[in-house]
Amino acid sequence: MPARPVPSQPSRPGGGDRRSPLLTLLGVLVLLEAALLVAGAAYLLHGLLVEDATEPVAAGFLVLTALLFAAGVAFCARGLLRRATWARSPVVVWQLLQLAAGLPAFSGGAPWLGLVLALPAAVVLVGLFLPSVDAQISR
């Protein structure tokens, strides 16, 4: 008895089965932002444990909040890397929040912090709406 042909899986709209290098770069940048949040939480925790914190409960809550945000951002980066349509909206919101935090740092005496926050956010924001990326994560 001849074997029946197996129906092929439908390819993803606009991009076949391979993820574009630009979408991979954007996902990796968002993962790096999550890693920076973890590093910030570690820095805050170090200050809480080593130095005398005037408000230890508030500092502990800030560490917990940073870790929760890091988990959320990492989850959204994973969604981007898997080309999930839902991942674009929270990533856009996060990039806008990062820009809002990073731009004042340029005039506040910490331009390096402004670059660390604003540059990846701008790259991700622009990249998410380029046609090649849009075709891969839109349905």
Side-chain angles (χ1 to χ4, degrees), residues 34-50 59 62-64 66-67 70:
L36 284 175
L37 276 169
V38 171
Y43 177 76
L44 290 171
L45 185 62
H46 175 266
L48 179 64
L49 297 176
V50 173
L62 191 57
V63 168
L64 179 64
L67 291 174

Side-chain angles (χ1 to χ4, degrees), residues 67-128:
L67 291 174
L68 287 174
F69 272 106
V73 170
F75 182 71
C76 292
R78 181 176 177 254
L80 270 184
L81 291 172
R82 291 177 158 220
R83 296 183 280 182
T85 56
W86 60 264
R88 185 191 327 219
S89 297
V91 169
V92 166
V93 169
W94 181 253
Q95 302 315 308
L96 291 173
L97 288 171
Q98 229 176 263
L99 277 174
L103 291 178
F106 287 110
S107 62
W112 64 271
L113 182 60
L115 277 175
V116 167
L117 292 174
L119 187 62
V123 169
V124 171
L125 268 177
V126 170
L128 282 175

